[in-house]
Amino acid sequence: FTVHPEGENSDRFISVQIARQGGMLLQMLDNRAVGTQNISIDEAKSRANQFLETFGFSSMRDSYFEIKDNIATINFAYHAYNILYYPDLVKVRIAMDNGEVLGMEAGGYAANHIDRSFPSPKISADEAQKKLSPSLAVESVQLAVIPRDSQDEAFCWEFKCKMEDKTFLIYLSTETGAEEDVLMLVETEGGMLTI
């Protein structure tokens, strides 16, 4: 659907995609021009989370964000039973002038969100942590499901670690302790991203 909230002669439009099966909101984009930043990133995250709850995306946790042209793009992943499911991703765009939702994209969530069951970890967080380099200072640990290049998923311990002035996310298999992935967190003026 495409709507022109200020009349058909206006340049502003909002496009919305809704799944024919189930009616899930898949995508929304509002091309409204955004003025000067007046709200904090915490307020933007709160408004994005309220929006997701309204449209049936419950148990979502924000992870990383970027602010560009006074629009915050915030990534949310599904969170249940103390496990963070990164494949079930939803992105929400918030106008930093007034907190209005300007967009969302739920393709990852729609494609991947299913009931999952994983066996209890064979390797505890403490055992997995011993496999990390001693030069890493662990800041936090949690269970996470991450996508693999082979189109399947890995059940991992996610370690947020510091080394000198750099922050890393290291994913070790809960079954074998093998390294599944390593990402570096990059903090910029515009937000927090992974590479």
Side-chain angles (χ1 to χ4, degrees), residues 1-17:
F1 300 94
T2 301
V3 297
H4 295 269
E6 297 167 358
E8 288 203 25
N9 294 328
S10 168
D11 289 337
R12 183 180 177 195
F13 65 88
I14 302 170
S15 63
V16 179
Q17 293 180 5

Side-chain angles (χ1 to χ4, degrees), residues 125 128-130 132-142 158-163 168 170:
Q129 186 170 335
K130 291 175 185 171
L132 297 174
S133 167
S135 59
L136 291 167
V138 175
E139 294 186 333
S140 66
V141 62
Q142 71 175 10
E158 176 189 74
F159 291 94
K160 183 177 180 183
C161 304
K162 277 272 200 205
M163 180 188 288
F168 296 91
I170 300 172

Side-chain angles (χ1 to χ4, degrees), residues 96-110:
M96 296 299 284
D97 56 358
N98 66 4
E100 186 177 18
V101 177
L102 294 182
M104 72 86 67
E105 194 277 314
Y109 184 96

